[in-house]
Amino acid sequence: MMRQENTTFRTFRVMTVILICLMCIIPFYILLVLSLNSPSRIYYEGNIFIPSFDWNNYITAWEKSRIGLAMINSGIITFGTLGLTIVLGGMAGYAIARHNTAYNKIVFSILIGCMMIPGIINTVPLYTLMRRIKAVNTLWGMILVCSALAMPSAVFIYTTFIRALPRELDEAAEVDGCTGFHAFWRIIFPILKPATASFVILNGFGVWNNYAQAVFFLQSRDKQNIPQALSVFFQQFGGAKWHLMASTAVIAIIPVIIIFLIFQRQFIEGLTEGAVKG
Amino acid sequence: MKIRKVNWTQFMSFPAILLYSIFFVYPLLKGIGMSLTDWDGMGTANFVGLSNFERFFQDKRAIGDIRTTLIFAAGSAVFLNLVGLGYALLMERPFHGRSAARVIIYLPAIISPLIMGYIWYFLLQPGRGFLYHAAEQLGTTFFLGKWMNDYPTTMTVLVFVNVWQYAGMTMIIYLAGLKNISTDILEAAIVDGAGSWQRFTRVTLPLLMPAIRINVVTNIIGSLSVFDVIMSLTEGGPGYATESLSIYIMRMCYGSRTGYSTAVAMILFFIILIPVLISLYLTKEKSDA
């Protein structure tokens, strides 16, 4: 048993936490206020913390910003990237964990060695490559780029996870007539769910929010993802029309917040476990 | 004739490494070659030796960008860890509503840093932001009138926004680290007569090393390659005062100085590599102890 905490100190601690929470929430509240102010509202009249509840901003923002299309694009990119990385990363993790050959050792060291290199280092040469294979301004091109960026993380997570699985599983599958490849799909892949969950937790929002690569590879208006669409939309205004900018920003962050709130328990637990293992 | 059976299962890692090689390793290596040319992205590339690197170090804007990147990263790494650890210590013992507080504090970290930068831009824009008008109603405007004219204040604001956004993330990792420290060891320290400060520096901190390592390294990498939040908050301005190296690389690439921008990327690579290696070395666990 830990020593009993002093009541005064406990109150102080909880009060501080409440203040920190307020500090985290207030910017979002003010964004909401700004998004509901009518265009004609002059800033400093009346109580600035109460908006004028002009819901039309949202309609205008939705129509003009084409954020809906950007959401679909971001969704396709995120699902495509996660799907591709889970399948390829899972296969690679299985091969590396079960066949410790020279070839697999090299594969693993390349991936882990490059894990810490941020994407911006190779974006410019990558851009010339993407232009040559006509992958600029395509969603599949962006999926391939994001998959490459997320691959080390996936392989690392799956390799660690599969190494901890008993080898009897593979052997049982082989007795049943499954060869290595089929054994993986039938027996191993279905039990990788916890590893897949922590991979998605660690990488999902990052792909959805990607901007540093989107700036290069998603310039055409039809292919923009959310951050790219938002920044292009905002730059048109040159600092005017905050009500429209704010309501677009609210629309842009709503899906992320909803998904986070639904999965918050798994999310925080997954991060905690990932940190302990990493 | 006897054919040696090859176990093909070992090559199940091939698709992953193929994709990675094409879209990550190949451009990385190609960048080294490109950095030695004057290529503009269209015509033919001429070998120019190290002159891109010479030009970089003679460019005042580039030197300013290095300074901005380093200040931003140093400030972010230090304060993210101090604030994150402070939050974690406040949140360590259970209290009513702790899990809700954890979710709220983590919330900003899931939002795109670009959008977060815009939100703070609405709040802080010099002389126009929401906080300026709120402060005006109180009769004073603090520094909110024209902070962007002042380099130290601008950098402070950028670091503040970054720390505000990601303190929750470092906190979660520190909480995980704290959870792993067994109470027996702390109890033993109490029995041995260690005060709370001594317990913290002699027991908690050393045992927290794995968490410190993850946080310091990820924060250094993330903040040295900072892009989004500066783009939305200051666009690297006024002028190029708060431009980071990542933004510089993008602008040089758009400016058809492809060869030059890859040279800058190589320089950024080493700017990231050196502190990462140093911090990995400093936080190395002493396994023989």
Side-chain angles (χ1 to χ4, degrees):
Chain A
M1 269 296 287
M2 289 289 278
R3 255 191 325 191
Q4 205 52 50
E5 196 182 1
N6 177 324
T7 325
T8 332
F9 185 71
R10 187 192 165 84
T11 318
F12 167 77
R13 200 163 59 91
V14 175
M15 291 306 286
T16 318
V17 171
I18 292 172
L19 277 178
I20 294 169
C21 289
L22 281 177
M23 213 172 77
C24 291
I25 289 285
I26 285 174
F28 293 102
Y29 174 72
I30 294 173
L31 179 71
L32 213 55
V33 170
L34 291 174
S35 74
L36 288 170
N37 273 341
S38 68
S40 58
R41 181 174 182 185
I42 299 169
Y43 233 75
Y44 26 84
E45 73 190 8
N47 186 342
I48 59 172
F49 288 95
I50 310 263
S52 41
F53 295 105
D54 192 339
W55 297 94
N56 284 327
N57 291 341
Y58 280 89
I59 298 165
T60 322
W62 178 264
E63 281 167 358
K64 286 202 174 160
S65 66
R66 312 223 297 176
I67 193 86
L69 181 65
M71 266 181 205
I72 295 172
N73 290 340
S74 277
I76 295 173
I77 292 165
T78 310
F79 278 106
T81 300
L82 294 179
L84 188 63
T85 334
I86 287 166
V87 170
L88 298 192
M91 280 164 57
Y94 179 67
I96 293 165
R98 290 303 192 231
H99 302 275
N100 197 18
T101 56
Y103 159 77
N104 274 326
K105 277 182 191 159
I106 295 172
V107 167
F108 195 63
S109 356
I110 293 176
L111 288 165
I112 299 307
C114 295
M115 198 173 186
M116 292 187 175
I117 304 173
I120 186 74
I121 303 293
N122 65 17
T123 304
V124 176
L126 181 60
Y127 183 71
T128 65
L129 169 76
M130 295 279 281
R131 231 176 27 193
R132 209 177 327 139
I133 62 172
K134 302 212 165 24
V136 175
N137 290 328
T138 65
L139 296 182
W140 62 265
M142 185 68 178
I143 289 175
L144 291 174
V145 169
C146 291
S147 300
L149 286 174
M151 195 60 81
S153 161
V155 173
F156 182 73
I157 290 171
Y158 284 120
T159 306
T160 322
F161 189 85
I162 296 172
R163 270 184 187 150
L165 292 177
R167 271 180 185 272
E168 285 79 30
L169 276 173
D170 312 26
E171 283 156 19
E174 273 170 47
V175 170
D176 288 350
C178 285
T179 54
F181 191 71
H182 290 283
F184 172 73
W185 284 113
R186 298 262 181 83
I187 315 287
I188 306 288
F189 198 68
I191 51 179
L192 292 181
K193 268 185 202 147
T196 305
S198 60
F199 168 69
V200 170
I201 284 167
L202 287 171
N203 293 277
F205 287 128
V207 179
W208 177 274
N209 292 333
N210 183 299
Y211 180 61
Q213 273 70 39
V215 154
F216 286 87
F217 303 124
L218 298 175
Q219 293 162 9
S220 101
R221 277 203 72 186
D222 294 331
K223 297 293 190 277
Q224 287 165 352
N225 70 351
I226 289 178
Q228 175 68 359
L230 210 70
S231 85
V232 170
F233 184 57
F234 283 10
Q235 275 158 21
Q236 296 169 10
F237 295 130
K241 302 204 177 173
W242 281 18
H243 56 287
L244 282 188
M245 291 167 79
S247 42
T248 318
V250 172
I251 298 173
I253 62 176
I254 279 177
V256 171
I257 292 184
I258 290 177
I259 290 182
F260 175 63
L261 291 182
I262 293 175
F263 295 107
Q264 42 98 359
R265 249 195 62 214
Q266 292 88 329
F267 202 90
I268 304 269
E269 274 167 20
L271 278 175
T272 309
E273 275 164 33
V276 175
K277 280 181 202 139
Chain B
M1 206 171 86
K2 200 177 168 190
I3 301 170
R4 209 172 132 247
K5 198 178 169 227
V6 180
N7 190 344
W8 289 103
T9 323
Q10 67 161 307
F11 294 112
M12 275 171 69
S13 57
F14 184 69
I17 195 68
L18 179 71
L19 178 92
Y20 193 68
S21 303
I22 298 174
F23 291 96
F24 199 93
V25 181
Y26 168 72
L28 195 68
L29 298 176
K30 197 179 175 213
I32 300 173
M34 275 169 69
S35 70
L36 304 173
T37 69
D38 64 354
W39 198 38
D40 60 2
M42 308 294 264
T44 46
N46 302 305
F47 181 79
V48 293
L50 292 174
S51 70
N52 282 330
F53 294 89
E54 276 168 42
R55 277 225 314 266
F56 176 85
F57 287 107
Q58 282 159 6
D59 184 354
K60 271 196 186 133
R61 174 175 165 191
I63 301 300
D65 289 355
I66 291 190
R67 184 175 72 152
T68 299
T69 308
L70 289 178
I71 294 176
F72 180 83
S76 299
V78 168
F79 284 101
L80 268 174
N81 280 284
L82 288 180
V83 174
L85 183 58
Y87 284 9
L89 291 170
L90 282 170
M91 303 275 289
E92 192 192 357
R93 282 162 188 251
F95 57 87
H96 200 68
R98 181 171 72 152
S99 43
R102 222 162 36 175
V103 168
I104 290 172
I105 296 174
Y106 190 78
L107 183 73
I110 62 157
I111 309 283
S112 138
L114 182 90
I115 300 178
M116 222 55 251
Y118 281 124
I119 295 177
W120 279 98
Y121 163 90
F122 296 141
L123 285 161
L124 288 171
Q125 215 209 358
R128 286 182 61 213
F130 185 92
L131 292 180
Y132 175 81
H133 291 296
E136 209 177 38
Q137 289 193 339
L138 298 172
T140 166
T141 55
F142 304 109
F143 65 97
L144 296 159
K146 42 185 178 183
W147 55 269
M148 253 199 228
N149 297 346
D150 181 39
Y151 183 73
T153 324
T154 316
M155 288 310 297
T156 312
V157 168
L158 284 170
V159 170
F160 166 78
V161 170
N162 193 40
V163 171
W164 177 88
Q165 180 169 15
Y166 289 110
M169 194 177 259
T170 36
M171 174 193 78
I172 295 285
I173 291 166
Y174 278 126
L175 275 174
L178 288 171
K179 217 169 105 185
N180 269 6
I181 300 175
S182 91
T183 41
D184 293 354
I185 302 177
L186 290 169
E187 288 290 306
I190 295 174
V191 174
D192 289 347
S196 50
W197 177 248
Q198 260 187 319
R199 277 204 309 275
F200 178 68
T201 53
R202 297 284 174 81
V203 182
T204 309
L205 269 188
L207 289 174
L208 215 51
M209 222 27 118
I212 296 176
R213 183 186 170 97
I214 301 171
N215 273 333
V216 169
V217 171
T218 30
N219 292 340
I220 288 177
I221 297 173
S223 51
L224 282 175
S225 52
V226 59
F227 187 82
D228 310 28
V229 68
I230 296 186
M231 279 302 282
S232 49
L233 206 54
T234 67
E235 285 184 87
Y240 299 117
T242 58
E243 188 178 63
S244 73
L245 281 173
S246 295
I247 297 174
Y248 185 66
I249 292 171
M250 179 207 59
R251 288 180 174 162
M252 289 298 119
C253 176
Y254 279 176
S256 291
R257 294 172 68 184
T258 314
Y260 179 70
S261 64
T262 51
V264 181
M266 291 301 136
I267 292 165
L268 178 59
F269 176 74
F270 284 104
I271 290 179
I272 294 173
L273 188 69
I274 293 164
V276 165
L277 289 180
I278 292 175
S279 49
L280 281 177
Y281 175 76
L282 287 179
T283 57
K284 201 161 65 182
E285 278 164 277
K286 290 167 188 74
S287 49
D288 51 322

